[in-house]
Amino acid sequence: MACQGLQKGETLESLKRESETLKKKLEEERNKLNDVELHQVAEKVEVLSALSIKTRRVLKGHGNKVLCMDWCKDKRRMVSSSQDGKVIVWDAFTLNKEHGVPLPCTWVLACAYAPLRSLCLIMNGYLGLDNKCSVIPLSLDKNENLAAKKKSVAMHTNYVSGCSFTNSDMQLLTSSGDGTCALWDVESGQLLQSFHGHTADVLSLDLAPSETGNTFVSGGCDMKANVWDMRSGQNIQSFESHESDINCVKYYPSGDAFASASDDATCRFYDLRADREVAVYQKDSIIFGASTCDFSLSGRLLFAGYNDYTINVWDVLKGTRATILFGHENRVSRVRVSPDGTALGSASWDSTLRVSWSFSTGSNYIFRFIKLLFWVNSRLVLEFTVAF
Amino acid sequence: MSGSANVVAMKKVVQQLRLEAGINRVKVSQAAADLQQFCLQNAQQDPLLTGMSSSNNPFRPQKVCSFL
């Protein structure tokens, strides 16, 4: 039996045995270095002061579930895609809708902004022939028929679940229900590299934040999170501790770790250099799956959107919940921190997007004081006019 | 013959495991200390953590204050 790469005497049985031994060895190696828990190391860190993060803007305009949103690098524009078949570009300051792009497919799963030019990326997928990823160049001319300029870049054999431009606008990374991830050249649409290793649908991917940007992490229905080398296609590290589908993966800002959000109602934190899970963010009261997560700029906070309509904000170091954001009236499908870290954007099945930010408590008191002064002033004026 | 396909697949699994078993790892105490240090170093520059004053807030509507 001529099988490539087989050593003499290797059979299915011997390979199975070796794989079992290797798996045990892997676990032993990882456990040897597990000398302390992250939250124990963080015991000496100051407890977070009460966060005053509140929803301050609600963007209405979609007619159906908002499935995805992303921030533009100019820090004020957001793009969102919805089951109503539209992609809208918003100005988050003025709440104006700058562009609305109608699409033939109603299941636009994701969208992303290109880093350099204002390229908006849209994905079509799910049923039928639409397992593609398309790119649309945005222009300021509102009369331009943007849908006509749509260009197909990626093609999978099943729905496309996630996408990201690489550090330049030239390449696109996609994840798919066909169990693979792929790297494409945007201009030619050519497949540059494919990544095999997941044994079920891949639901999410995230690029490592470094400028050299050579690795990315993916998570999927096989409950595994894999780290890949973009150039070689090699699966470098693999983490399997979730108990259900991983819906979202996101790198920690330093690039040395990543978080994942899962249907098992937990978010987990994995350190790449220690090669293991270092924290689990969970509460007995949280029983609904987490669909999305993102870090604040310093990595101290992890924002996670859940199917119980809430956004839980976790203290990454201590493992406790810092605060909870209410407001959405249906599942939270996406949370994203703005590029300068000032605001949190969230998209939901309730067809709205919300923008939340935090005021320092100092200015909170000043506002209240000024309001009080005006109130006192108006009361005094009233008293005087009545007297006279 | 499906048997050979299984063997090839298994071989891939074993090769992947060998690769993963061979990587260099650091102790969790070291990794955790570095994560913590990154957080603390950047904490002041994190507007969602520390809050923005109203003058820094880019979302603030540009209202003019007038005295009546």
Side-chain angles (χ1 to χ4, degrees), chain A residues 197-382:
Chain A
H198 279 287
T199 51
D201 305 18
V202 185
L203 296 179
S204 171
L205 63 84
D206 190 35
L207 272 161
S210 77
E211 265 71 52
T212 47
N214 292 331
T215 61
F216 73 96
V217 60
S218 65
C221 294
D222 57 358
M223 308 185 285
K224 282 209 244 168
N226 290 335
V227 181
W228 308 86
D229 179 314
M230 278 208 295
R231 282 180 296 204
S232 66
Q234 181 73 49
N235 176 4
I236 323 173
Q237 282 171 278
S238 185
F239 302 89
E240 197 170 6
S241 62
H242 270 294
E243 294 161 13
S244 186
D245 301 358
I246 296 178
N247 294 314
C248 183
V249 287
K250 203 77 181 57
Y251 265 96
Y252 186 72
S254 73
D256 289 330
F258 70 92
S260 57
S262 163
D263 275 349
D264 67 6
T266 69
C267 291
R268 290 173 202 244
F269 192 36
Y270 301 89
D271 186 286
L272 293 172
R273 295 180 315 147
D275 189 38
R276 63 172 297 121
E277 170 194 289
V278 291
V280 184
Y281 307 110
Q282 64 188 345
K283 258 178 132 55
D284 289 341
S285 53
I286 301 174
I287 55 172
F288 283 85
S291 58
T292 173
C293 60
D294 198 6
F295 284 101
S296 69
L297 216 59
S298 67
R300 182 69 191 269
L301 300 175
L302 178 69
F303 299 93
Y306 290 74
N307 293 340
D308 63 1
Y309 317 168
T310 64
I311 297 172
N312 286 299
V313 185
W314 299 94
D315 179 332
V316 169
L317 296 178
K318 290 194 181 282
T320 53
R321 180 168 63 186
T323 186
I324 181 169
L325 296 173
F326 295 103
H328 277 297
E329 292 162 12
N330 208 318
R331 293 193 187 189
V332 181
S333 52
R334 183 87 150 186
V335 292
R336 276 288 173 268
V337 173
S338 66
D340 58 357
T342 53
L344 175 75
S346 56
S348 164
W349 282 17
D350 66 6
S351 75
T352 68
L353 291 109
R354 275 157 213 260
V355 185
S356 312
W357 63 81
S358 167
F359 277 128
S360 59
T361 44
S363 22
N364 271 343
Y365 288 127
I366 290 171
F367 277 142
R368 287 188 215 164
F369 187 61
I370 291 173
K371 270 195 197 161
L372 182 66
L373 278 181
F374 275 116
W375 182 86
V376 166
N377 188 46
S378 63
R379 300 298 300 172
L380 283 173
V381 167
L382 210 60

Side-chain angles (χ1 to χ4, degrees), chain A residues 15-26:
Chain A
L15 285 172
K16 273 192 185 156
R17 269 181 275 125
E18 193 180 351
S19 103
E20 290 307 311
T21 337
L22 282 169
K23 278 189 192 157
K24 282 210 192 89
K25 182 177 178 214
L26 203 56

Side-chain angles (χ1 to χ4, degrees), chain A residues 52-344:
Chain A
S52 60
I53 302 174
K54 286 194 178 55
T55 298
R56 309 196 193 249
R57 295 282 185 276
V58 181
L59 292 95
K60 296 187 184 174
H62 278 297
N64 207 323
K65 302 174 182 167
V66 187
L67 301 172
C68 189
M69 59 108 3
D70 195 17
W71 288 91
C72 181
K73 291 291 180 284
D74 71 359
K75 307 160 212 166
R76 75 183 267 168
R77 283 207 204 86
M78 292 163 55
V79 63
S80 61
S81 61
S82 162
Q83 208 178 336
D84 65 4
K86 284 215 214 81
V87 167
I88 299 181
V89 178
W90 312 79
D91 180 320
F93 290 8
T94 61
L95 305 191
N96 282 342
K97 299 180 196 45
E98 288 192 0
H99 297 276
V101 185
L103 298 163
C105 172
T106 57
W107 200 270
V108 182
L109 290 173
C111 52
Y113 249 111
L116 298 173
R117 297 164 287 168
S118 315
L119 269 178
C120 175
L121 173 71
I122 307 157
M123 274 174 14
N124 295 348
Y126 202 51
L127 295 169
L129 305 165
D130 267 331
N131 300 325
K132 294 183 266 182
C133 210
S134 307
V135 169
I136 291 187
L138 280 183
S139 72
L140 294 171
D141 181 358
K142 291 192 173 50
N143 296 326
E144 228 182 314
N145 183 3
L146 293 174
K149 293 174 105 194
K150 184 164 69 78
K151 176 176 149 160
S152 270
V153 172
M155 184 84 135
H156 279 274
T157 54
N158 206 326
Y159 67 92
V160 185
S161 57
C163 56
S164 179
F165 283 99
T166 59
N167 291 327
S168 67
D169 289 8
M170 308 282 90
Q171 292 175 349
L172 187 68
L173 201 53
T174 56
S175 58
S176 168
D178 65 13
T180 70
C181 296
L183 183 66
W184 311 85
D185 177 84
V186 172
E187 203 49 52
S188 64
Q190 197 193 359
L191 174 67
L192 298 170
Q193 184 64 264
S194 69
F195 305 89
H196 297 263
H198 279 287
T199 51
D201 305 18
V202 185
L203 296 179
S204 171
L205 63 84
D206 190 35
L207 272 161
S210 77
E211 265 71 52
T212 47
N214 292 331
T215 61
F216 73 96
V217 60
S218 65
C221 294
D222 57 358
M223 308 185 285
K224 282 209 244 168
N226 290 335
V227 181
W228 308 86
D229 179 314
M230 278 208 295
R231 282 180 296 204
S232 66
Q234 181 73 49
N235 176 4
I236 323 173
Q237 282 171 278
S238 185
F239 302 89
E240 197 170 6
S241 62
H242 270 294
E243 294 161 13
S244 186
D245 301 358
I246 296 178
N247 294 314
C248 183
V249 287
K250 203 77 181 57
Y251 265 96
Y252 186 72
S254 73
D256 289 330
F258 70 92
S260 57
S262 163
D263 275 349
D264 67 6
T266 69
C267 291
R268 290 173 202 244
F269 192 36
Y270 301 89
D271 186 286
L272 293 172
R273 295 180 315 147
D275 189 38
R276 63 172 297 121
E277 170 194 289
V278 291
V280 184
Y281 307 110
Q282 64 188 345
K283 258 178 132 55
D284 289 341
S285 53
I286 301 174
I287 55 172
F288 283 85
S291 58
T292 173
C293 60
D294 198 6
F295 284 101
S296 69
L297 216 59
S298 67
R300 182 69 191 269
L301 300 175
L302 178 69
F303 299 93
Y306 290 74
N307 293 340
D308 63 1
Y309 317 168
T310 64
I311 297 172
N312 286 299
V313 185
W314 299 94
D315 179 332
V316 169
L317 296 178
K318 290 194 181 282
T320 53
R321 180 168 63 186
T323 186
I324 181 169
L325 296 173
F326 295 103
H328 277 297
E329 292 162 12
N330 208 318
R331 293 193 187 189
V332 181
S333 52
R334 183 87 150 186
V335 292
R336 276 288 173 268
V337 173
S338 66
D340 58 357
T342 53
L344 175 75

Side-chain angles (χ1 to χ4, degrees), chain B residues 19-57:
Chain B
L19 198 81
E20 286 179 31
I23 67 171
N24 285 327
R25 293 178 189 83
V26 307
K27 283 197 187 159
V28 174
S29 51
Q30 175 65 47
D34 290 344
L35 290 172
Q36 185 179 298
Q37 197 190 14
F38 183 87
C39 267
L40 298 176
Q41 267 174 347
N42 293 292
Q44 285 313 308
Q45 279 80 46
D46 188 346
L48 283 166
L49 193 62
T50 57
M52 298 185 285
S53 65
S54 67
S55 50
N56 293 341
N57 182 10

